[in-house]
Amino acid sequence: MKTGVFILLFFLLTTEATLAQRECAGQDYSRTVSSAITFRDLEGFINTHTLQQTAGRLYKEVIKIPVVVHVLYHFPNQKIDDAIVHEQLALLNECFRKQNADTVNIPAVFKSLAADCEIEFQLATSDPNKRSATGIIKKYTPLGNWGIDDKVKFSSEMGDDAWDPKSYMNIWVCDLNKFAGYSSVVGGAENVDGLVIDFGAFKAGNKTIVHEAGHWMSLLHIWGDENCGDDKVSDTPKQASYTPGCPTGIRITCGNAPTGDMYNNYMDFTSDACINMFSNGQKARMRSLFEPGGPRNSLLTSKGLDTPLIFESPLPDDDPKWLEPHLYPNPAKEELKLDLTYDARWLGTTVRIINIQGNALMTVVVNAKTQTIDVSRLVPGMYFLAAKRTDGLSIRKKFIKQ
Ligand SMILES: [Zn+2]
């Protein structure tokens, strides 16, 4: 019986609940693409220009980065409101301009190191073909979730192609399964350049976008991804590892007395409510990339924030007929119909009918876009219909047999 209750709970809980604890996938991702880095001696370039930056000899203006957000939705509730995008951009700008209200929480020992990075992010007003743009693309995808394999960055993989990364920062928002987000590596392949953020982390107050934008401009995790590792920034203390939760007081690791860990840095894993600064050293490292010859220099001459040459009223978004499986009639007497027209890749999968105790009573292999299921022999009551594809996409539907 306990197993039955557990399975029932599993069906009733939303997928959100199972994804409560997630992290940046930067480390895993970097390992898979390290061979793709084409920028020669990136660290040498950063070092030289960071030093000049600190000496005040380099680009002094506020850097403005045109942004395009690609929202890949599968279910209607994932077709997020523009307001959510605007709110995330506002948060990103506050954090990079040191205008966030929680700068008052920066520990006293680090206050003098906290930087206004003088980097701003603005939704593109002009697309790569100089047509008017909102900087937000919402696109239906038949895929339910994505991995860190960059497929979401290609229309041919049912994602959405990047806008020219020399002129735009691309942000893909999708169901990233178990991760909060990841960034491409600086100097990597152009067609995968940008951030990917999970729907669950792309919402009010969530600073995943700030952390990933830091990676996108070459920042490493504050602990250097190994025990007392090096994040290649001179004014961030060495620290043993990432910080979970929301600590207070001074935490000494790696002999970093008297300041202790800079656990309030955006490049740690500390809770959103407790991260509130980039350091001056991180600012110089990020800004060095925009110097002549640097991997982000071309963004300074982007036309993405210009007045567009061609004004076109955007076409209305066309939703597909079914965004999700449709089960009817419900309640059912003799037959159930399962409409999977929206995604032909359900063909061949096995559908299970499960009772309230969690026991599978029958299975049916899907062989039609609208599958008929004979339920005449089930005793009246509540049941679940469940199916899972090899790519991880699953269906769970409740129905009543009369
Ligand atoms: Zn990270």
Side-chain angles (χ1 to χ4, degrees), residues 24-27 211-212 215 221 267 269:
C24 160
Q27 264 177 283
H211 177 101
E212 299 305 337
H215 282 316
H221 288 139
M267 300 317 289
F269 279 177

Side-chain angles (χ1 to χ4, degrees), residues 114 132 228 261:
S132 56
C228 301
D261 295 354

